[in-house]
Amino acid sequence: MQYHLNGFRPGDPEVLPSDRPAQGPLPGEIDVLIVGCGPAGLTLAAQLARFPGIVTRIVERKPGPMEKGQADGISCRSMEMFNAFGFAGTILKQGYWVNETTFWKPDPDTPGHITRTGRVQDVEDGLSEMPHIILNQARVHDLYLDTMRKAPARLAPDYGFEFVTLELDPAGGSHPVRVTLAEVATGRQLSLRARYVVGCDGARSGVRRAIGAELAGESANHAWGVMDVLAVTDFPDIRLKALIQSADEGNILVIPREGGYLVRLYIELDKLSEGERVASRNLTVDHLIGAAERIFRPYSFAVKEVAWWSVYEIGQRLADRFDDVPGGEARLPHVFIAGDACHTHSPKAGQGMNVSMGDAFNLGWKLASVLRGLCPPEILRSYSKERRAVAQDLIDFDREWSRIMSERPADTDPEAAEAPKFQSYFIEHGRYTAGMSVTYAPSVLTGDTCWQGLAEGFGIGTRFHSAAVIRLADARPMELGHVIEADARWRLFAFSPAGDPAAEGSEIRRLCGFLESDSSPLRRIAPEGADIDAVLDLRAIFQQGHRDLALESLPDLLKPRKGRLGLVDYEKMFCADPARDIFALRGIDRAQGALVLVRPDQYVAQVLPVDAHAALAGALDAVFLPQGAAREAVTAR
């Protein structure tokens, strides 16, 4: 990480400089009010906390932070996002790594017993530099809260406040959303105005009801139980993720937990009658333990302590829109919903927390860009369009996965080698469960595929697929994607064509000359007096080895002077790692090179030729306000 830019700074470098006073009571006017301290709300709060000029507050009806979380699965894609926030390393250290998954079905030779049918690698090679991790949701919350405390805004939740209602009031001018909250301890109500409100307040979202959005769907009439336990067992795969299908007693999903001893079990219980709710069954933890003991036979399973348990019914529901603008209306949105407030489903595919955080990561940089005057508010319309499509895919996947998980084993020839259906489905959809299947459709934020062939491995609309490189200035091996931080900046990765990049007339030198010129889009979009990379962070990747290039001979734009002291940033240039060549791995045209423009949420916005200066300027001008308009937008705030 980089620090000392504006002078030597002792102490913890992860505590970012701040001139904000200590957080006081809720003010009467704020820029963004976040309702709910779940994964979505905290993701959004942590991103907005990077900007002390944006007045953000997050309220939560509970009296304090979560101690025992429901969700635990962290996909590879979420780990990539956590790396942008700076705490992926902590999760890698503390979490359980899901390396392999095993599959069990009824033993054809011994009725009532189970037998292992398969064992597979959980995440395919090369899919991500990050593993699939299991960690208590409450611990994820802790890391977000720590990030917020260390951010320039020094943001902390306002606990003990419940959302009551909101209304759009055009007379409110720049703060058109009037919100009523209630202090849980006293019942005292208070009113405030906000520019934007984001409801991250769960499946029974008050914000969703207030904007008239509908959560529609169906229940599959299946009851499941979940429990985190400390147990003694001779089941051999207790420290592996395991999917177990029994003949008559239902199914179990085994999820080993962090810490080496704890394990989570998802246990299929009874089928519910039409319209029946699981609460009417009066199921207890003893029902869950008894079911687990029967399904594990012939293996013993003795529960020593139950850390947490619950029962639930499977259902898939989706909101008709994720903002306050009904279909057909042209006005701009001011209220949004994210996470369980707009999509609910079963927990067995491990997607709930991951997709919820993805919602917030998508929305956060857009709100920050609008409120800082960098982008027009019209980009906020893209949130509902992009994320509702993702949620619909999740609902469809979860409905099919839940159905397959609840199927009875098929009667097959005991000698047949055919894998159970749930084993085949799991393997087939591994990329989806890793979080890698999201693709955003073409829009002002995501270009077309005209030049996709220049970088086949960086699919436009998909997440930026990191690969190994070597930093030129200090010969450090690293992942290129790890230069992306959750700071709302765009990235431009310039993959140099063949030939000497230092030569006069090289495409990289011509690109840098254009970006330094009076007609440069960097100059048009950067705030006055800001560093050259304040909005768009340029990085160059060369085909040559790191010992074959002279840093001093390369363009000055790749060694920019920054901060109040005019210090040189030496971390803009990288070389291919000969052992894991990024040009080969990502299908980059060696003769022509490529420009890969990446959004702040790590998704590829465009692939262009290195010499397509006008097309690059056009792509940026379509998203950003020119500097003058940006100043006016900030002044209007």
Side-chain angles (χ1 to χ4, degrees):
M1 62 185 300
Q2 291 178 305
Y3 44 101
H4 303 317
L5 174 62
N6 291 306
F8 177 77
R9 190 164 59 87
D12 184 354
E14 292 187 352
V15 179
L16 301 180
S18 174
D19 57 4
R20 284 282 293 272
Q23 181 170 296
L26 283 165
E29 286 190 348
I30 59 178
D31 291 322
V32 182
L33 175 68
I34 304 167
V35 181
C37 276
L42 292 175
T43 301
L44 181 58
Q47 191 164 20
L48 293 178
R50 290 289 297 254
F51 308 102
I54 298 174
V55 182
T56 303
R57 299 297 282 262
I58 177 168
V59 297
E60 167 61 48
R61 69 177 307 277
K62 295 175 183 176
M66 173 183 283
E67 295 182 356
K68 296 179 181 179
Q70 293 86 356
D72 60 359
I74 302 172
S75 70
C76 303
R77 172 71 196 110
S78 291
M79 286 297 296
E80 294 172 358
M81 183 188 73
F82 290 162
N83 195 73
F85 280 101
F87 56 77
T90 301
I91 291 182
L92 288 171
K93 179 181 178 181
Q94 297 182 1
Y96 168 84
W97 293 34
V98 186
N99 296 310
E100 294 188 340
T101 298
T102 64
F103 304 90
W104 293 70
K105 70 176 184 180
D107 187 339
D109 299 323
T110 310
H113 289 190
I114 56 173
T115 185
R116 187 193 292 125
T117 64
R119 179 170 179 153
V120 300
Q121 185 172 309
D122 189 77
V123 177
E124 67 181 79
D125 289 336
L127 189 60
S128 174
E129 78 278 14
M130 293 294 183
H132 177 192
I133 294 285
I134 303 297
L135 187 68
N136 186 348
Q137 177 184 336
R139 187 70 188 113
V140 175
H141 286 200
D142 290 343
L143 294 169
Y144 271 130
L145 291 168
D146 190 50
T147 299
M148 292 157 55
R149 282 190 294 268
K150 294 176 178 177
R154 301 292 193 261
L155 181 60
D158 292 287
Y159 292 110
F161 285 93
E162 186 170 21
F163 174 83
V164 178
T165 189
L166 64 76
E167 61 178 332
L168 285 177
D169 179 11
S174 61
H175 294 73
V177 190
R178 186 165 59 194
V179 183
T180 302
L181 302 173
E183 196 170 23
V184 175
T186 65
R188 177 181 66 91
Q189 291 196 348
L190 67 155
S191 180
L192 57 82
R193 287 187 175 272
R195 294 178 186 275
Y196 299 101
V197 174
V198 186
C200 305
D201 48 343
R204 296 179 176 85
S205 170
V207 176
R208 185 187 66 241
R209 290 195 300 271
I211 63 174
E214 300 276 342
L215 192 64
E218 58 187 25
S219 172
N221 297 322
H222 277 100
W224 282 72
V226 56
M227 60 180 181
D228 290 331
V229 298
L230 297 168
V232 175
T233 178
D234 56 356
F235 178 66
D237 293 350
I238 198 64
R239 295 308 297 170
L240 291 169
K241 180 179 175 181
L243 286 76
I244 304 172
Q245 193 175 45
S246 73
D248 302 307
E249 298 290 348
N251 302 327
I252 280 183
L253 175 59
V254 178
I255 305 291
R257 294 292 302 272
E258 66 278 8
Y261 301 100
L262 193 68
V263 65
R264 170 167 290 190
L265 302 181
Y266 289 102
I267 306 166
E268 185 181 15
L269 301 172
D270 299 329
K271 184 175 178 62
L272 301 175
S273 303
E274 188 68 30
E276 184 183 9
R277 304 304 300 269
V278 70
S280 66
R281 292 292 183 96
N282 295 317
L283 296 171
T284 68
V285 69
D286 290 334
H287 288 93
L288 274 61
I289 294 171
E293 290 172 344
R294 293 190 297 272
I295 294 171
F296 273 119
R297 289 184 301 185
Y299 303 103
S300 62
F301 190 80
V303 173
K304 300 299 183 180
E305 182 178 319
V306 179
W308 175 80
W309 71 280
S310 182
V311 294
Y312 63 93
E313 56 204 82
I314 292 176
Q316 293 85 20
R317 297 175 177 86
L318 177 65
D320 57 339
R321 50 191 165 87
F322 288 10
D323 62 33
D324 63 315
V325 182
E329 289 194 16
R331 64 178 175 84
L332 295 170
H334 283 274
V335 184
F336 307 87
I337 52 176
D340 286 354
C342 43
H343 46 75
T344 63
H345 39 83
S346 80
K348 291 186 298 303
Q351 296 302 299
M353 179 168 65
N354 295 290
V355 175
S356 296
M357 294 185 299
D359 291 345
F361 200 36
N362 179 289
L363 178 60
W365 70 266
K366 296 173 183 176
L367 284 171
S369 299
V370 169
L371 288 165
R372 294 163 65 213
L374 299 175
C375 297
E378 283 77 10
I379 70 166
L380 298 175
R381 290 179 173 141
S382 67
Y383 166 70
S384 184
K385 181 179 180 181
E386 288 184 339
R387 294 307 297 180
R388 193 179 185 281
V390 172
Q392 183 64 67
D393 288 343
L394 169 61
I395 294 298
D396 295 342
F397 171 82
D398 186 67
R399 183 179 292 115
E400 181 64 10
W401 181 236
S402 296
R403 184 187 65 79
I404 289 172
M405 278 292 292
S406 296
E407 280 185 345
R408 297 276 66 78
D411 292 327
T412 58
D413 182 352
E415 302 300 321
E418 180 182 358
K421 189 174 182 179
F422 72 118
Q423 179 176 336
S424 302
Y425 192 83
F426 175 87
I427 296 170
E428 179 185 350
H429 291 83
R431 283 177 172 262
Y432 184 89
T433 54
M436 303 305 177
S437 64
V438 172
T439 301
Y440 292 134
S443 69
V444 69
L445 300 175
T446 307
D448 59 38
T449 58
C450 178
W451 296 101
Q452 182 69 79
L454 294 176
E456 292 285 0
F458 294 121
I460 296 170
T462 69
R463 119 290 190 188
F464 181 80
H465 190 178
S466 182
V469 290
I470 298 176
R471 197 160 60 199
L472 177 61
D474 59 1
R476 176 178 174 174
M478 59 179 292
E479 287 284 335
L480 183 61
H482 293 188
V483 306
I484 303 176
E485 299 178 29
D487 56 8
R489 288 192 296 168
W490 290 62
R491 265 75 189 182
L492 179 61
F493 294 101
F495 291 88
S496 179
D500 183 3
E504 289 298 326
S506 73
E507 292 297 351
I508 286 293
R509 191 170 289 281
R510 291 180 61 236
L511 173 68
C512 290
F514 167 67
L515 293 176
E516 289 180 298
S517 70
D518 291 341
S519 58
S520 166
L522 287 186
R523 297 189 184 278
R524 285 201 295 276
I525 65 179
E528 188 174 1
D531 290 331
I532 191 67
D533 61 355
V535 177
L536 178 66
D537 178 17
L538 171 66
R539 310 276 177 149
I541 305 93
F542 306 116
Q543 299 185 38
Q544 290 82 358
H546 67 283
R547 295 179 179 176
D548 300 324
L549 290 177
L551 179 144
E552 67 274 11
S553 67
L554 292 162
D556 287 343
L557 185 61
L558 299 176
K559 298 166 287 184
R561 290 185 175 273
K562 296 165 52 178
R564 67 178 182 86
L565 302 177
L567 302 181
V568 177
D569 185 345
Y570 291 103
E571 301 190 0
K572 300 293 189 183
M573 294 179 283
F574 306 86
C575 295
D577 184 334
R580 298 170 292 169
D581 181 13
I582 190 172
F583 284 81
L585 287 172
R586 300 295 172 258
I588 300 164
D589 190 303
R590 290 190 179 276
Q592 300 182 69
L595 296 179
V596 180
L597 182 64
V598 180
R599 300 172 7 161
D601 55 1
Q602 302 173 312
Y603 281 82
V604 177
Q606 187 57 282
V607 172
L608 295 168
V610 179
D611 63 356
H613 302 166
L616 173 62
L620 295 173
D621 287 346
V623 175
F624 292 100
L625 294 167
Q627 188 183 108
R631 283 199 299 269
E632 292 175 7
V634 172
T635 301
R637 288 185 52 229

